[in-house]
Amino acid sequence: MNNETAAPVSVIGLGLMGRALAGAFLKAGHPTTVWNRTASKADHLISHGAQLAPTAADALKAGSLTIICLTDYEAMHELLGANDVTLEGTTLVNLTSGASAQAREAARLAEQRGARYLDGAIMAVPSGIGTAEAVILLSGAESDFDAHKPTLDALGTVTHLGADHGLASLYDVAGLAMMWSVLNAWLQGTAMLRTAGVDAATYAPFAQQIATGVATWLPGYAEQIDNGSFPAEVSALETDARAMAHLIEESETVGVNAELPRLIKAMADRAIAAGHGGEQYPVLIEEFVKPRVD
Ligand code: NAP
């Protein structure tokens, strides 16, 4: 792409991530205007062709698309809330991490001030930005996404999730839940096996195989959840609960932490007490959708 065809873009916030975002736009040939509270962080980008805007308001005026990537939403409101900052006519793409309610509120405020707004979550580290491995999730009006996708493509694999501005941050935390749950399960097994002299590297490929196998169950289980029907095709929850009791006992016997196994069984026990013992594992969604009740 060359500068005559590539759309201009502004980037506000040049921390570790913001610098990577601006760098990817420059690399793809987009005329790129940048602003950062600490101006010196723009030096490297300026030497690669970026324009430094004197104020955030000037960065917003420089083109019809502005990416914002700051520490948190408070910083964004502090910066864009000033009276002399015009948002009218621009599309803001906010890649600052935050909660779904913050995203929806930011969209409301931006739209009140005449801006279009997309909220995003970056599922990548700065070094991955600009490669297909960098997944950038975006939510907001599809027409806004479509209008700027050719520019946003410079950042990685950009995906539109839906019109609800809160979706990107919800997918973001859903991904974190998946990541930590898989890692904690692996650490539980690693701790138990270490008591028998098996090191983490020996167990890792076995654990990887289990995690990959379990992942293949998700589409079928998702169908059960979406249909609200949980026939025990593989095993019943009460059978699983007996295996959970065994996991707790074994953890305690070999002298490792049993908090995670106890949590797993406590949820299953509540579902069984509610009459779901004869159904299949994903019936536990009934426990996950409600706040903890003691
Ligand atoms: P960072 O290096 O700490 O940069 C933070 C940025 O926010 C800096 O540009 C900082 O300006 C600016 N800032 C903070 N408070 C401000 C205020 N009140 N007014 C104006 N500017 C303010 O953080 P980062 O790693 O770039 O992360 C930025 C966002 O991307 C975060 O929401 C983070 O969760 C998200 N993210 C990061 C990664 C990652 O791997 N780094 C991955 C995914 C998502 P100064 O330079 O002047 O301090």
Side-chain angles (χ1 to χ4, degrees):
M1 211 179 267
N2 63 42
N3 287 0
E4 280 132 61
T5 54
V9 59
S10 296
V11 179
I12 291 178
L14 301 174
L16 287 167
M17 186 51 87
R19 292 201 295 278
L21 300 172
F25 285 128
L26 284 170
K27 203 170 164 202
H30 292 276
T32 305
T33 301
V34 294
W35 181 85
N36 194 54
R37 181 178 61 180
T38 308
S40 59
K41 290 188 187 169
D43 290 351
H44 183 73
L45 293 162
I46 293 167
S47 72
H48 284 73
Q51 294 291 317
L52 180 65
T55 66
D58 291 312
L60 283 154
K61 274 186 244 152
S64 62
L65 176 65
T66 300
I67 313 300
I68 302 175
C69 189
L70 302 175
T71 306
D72 50 30
Y73 278 66
E74 283 75 17
M76 185 189 72
H77 289 305
E78 193 179 309
L79 190 63
L80 302 187
N83 289 333
D84 58 345
V85 176
T86 306
L87 300 184
E88 190 137 10
T90 196
T91 298
L92 295 177
V93 175
N94 183 17
L95 298 181
T96 302
S97 303
S100 56
Q102 289 178 308
R104 292 182 186 123
E105 172 70 354
R108 203 179 56 75
L109 293 174
E111 285 167 7
Q112 258 176 12
R113 291 171 64 190
R116 311 295 309 160
Y117 182 90
L118 290 169
D119 202 274
I122 303 172
M123 319 290 278
V125 293
S127 59
I129 298 297
T131 71
E133 281 72 47
V135 172
I136 317 263
L137 304 174
L138 290 158
S139 48
E142 191 167 13
S143 53
D144 294 332
F145 175 78
D146 290 344
H148 297 290
K149 184 176 181 298
T151 305
L152 297 169
D153 276 341
L155 301 180
T157 303
V158 292
T159 304
H160 181 245
L161 301 169
D164 175 354
H165 290 96
L167 283 175
S169 72
L170 285 174
Y171 268 79
D172 192 15
V173 288
L176 295 176
M178 180 63 85
M179 182 180 81
W180 287 321
S181 298
V182 171
L183 289 175
N184 282 347
W186 172 61
L187 291 171
Q188 180 76 37
T190 301
M192 288 195 294
L193 283 162
R194 266 172 55 145
T195 66
V198 179
D199 62 14
T202 303
Y203 174 52
F206 181 85
Q208 194 177 4
Q209 206 177 4
I210 303 269
T212 307
V214 170
T216 65
W217 304 351
L218 299 186
Y221 279 8
E223 216 171 288
Q224 290 200 335
I225 291 171
D226 291 340
N227 291 334
S229 161
F230 309 94
E233 291 154 355
V234 179
S235 72
L237 189 58
E238 55 202 4
T239 309
D240 294 333
R242 282 193 285 277
M244 290 170 193
H246 175 57
L247 171 61
I248 295 170
E249 281 158 24
E250 190 71 339
S251 298
E252 288 170 348
T253 305
V254 300
V256 303
N257 191 307
E259 282 172 283
L260 179 63
R262 275 195 218 105
L263 172 66
I264 292 168
K265 184 157 188 297
M267 292 191 91
D269 285 346
R270 284 203 297 276
I272 292 167
H276 298 296
E279 294 173 89
Q280 193 146 277
Y281 199 85
V283 74
L284 276 181
I285 189 67
E286 309 291 347
E287 293 301 316
F288 277 92
V289 293
K290 57 189 180 197
R292 174 80 169 90
V293 276
D294 290 303

